[in-house]
Amino acid sequence: MPTASTDPAHRRSTGTTTPYDVGLPLLRLVLGLIMAVHGTQKLFGWFDGPGIQTTGRSFEQAGYPAGTTMALIAGLTETLGGLGLVVGLLTPLAGAAIVGIMINAIAVTWTGDVIGQQGVEFELLIAAAAATLAITGPGRFALDRFVPGLRNHRAVYGLAALVLAVALAVLFLLLKE
């Protein structure tokens, strides 16, 4: 049974910084920026990205209908989900959005290899980190602390968001030819 000195809720209420208060924002920042950069590459061609038209053609070549629309959805999801993670806003949904994108990325690029040049380690790592943030929450230093209902994060919020993300990812995969 946690004592007052080991209970994370007690440490939050007394202002003591915990390892979670440092580690979760670091994970949010790095993962969120990676995803926001990928999204803006798709949307605007920033950071030497392909832009919306080229990304749209890539979606069409992968078998998705309405490639430009799919590129827009993917770019917005990556950008907004990434930025949500960076600032810790709507963290369960932001993390779940990234998981949904990664499910599609893995389905499109996976050649059967897990390790090697054609493997999916990077995508799996991103999905696992995003799912972890959706379930654990953003930590103390996040805008979610100002959102009623998310102020006291519960794992069930993240799990519900992940179920929604998986369902939507499967729906998008079913749209492929």
Side-chain angles (χ1 to χ4, degrees), residues 59-129:
F59 272 93
E60 288 170 359
Q61 290 172 350
Y64 289 94
T68 302
T69 301
M70 296 300 287
L72 180 64
I73 292 168
L76 285 172
T77 302
E78 290 178 354
T79 302
L80 297 176
L83 293 175
L85 289 178
V86 168
V87 298
L89 181 61
L90 305 175
T91 305
L93 290 174
I98 301 306
V99 169
I101 288 289
M102 289 299 105
I103 289 171
N104 274 268
I106 290 167
V108 168
T109 62
W110 193 19
T111 62
D113 294 332
V114 176
I115 307 249
Q117 283 188 292
Q118 301 301 316
V120 292
E121 301 89 352
F122 185 62
E123 292 87 352
L124 286 173
L125 182 60
I126 287 174

Side-chain angles (χ1 to χ4, degrees), residues 64-65 69-70 73 104 166-176:
Y64 289 94
T69 301
M70 296 300 287
I73 292 168
N104 274 268
V166 170
L168 289 172
V170 169
L171 177 66
F172 276 97
L173 287 172
L174 291 174
L175 293 174
K176 283 182 57 180

Side-chain angles (χ1 to χ4, degrees), residues 3 5 17 27 39 55 64 82 89 98 103 110 124 133 140-141 167:
T3 65
S5 63
T17 300
L27 179 58
T55 302
Y64 289 94
L89 181 61
I98 301 306
I103 289 171
W110 193 19
L124 286 173
L133 287 169
R140 180 167 49 162
F141 303 116

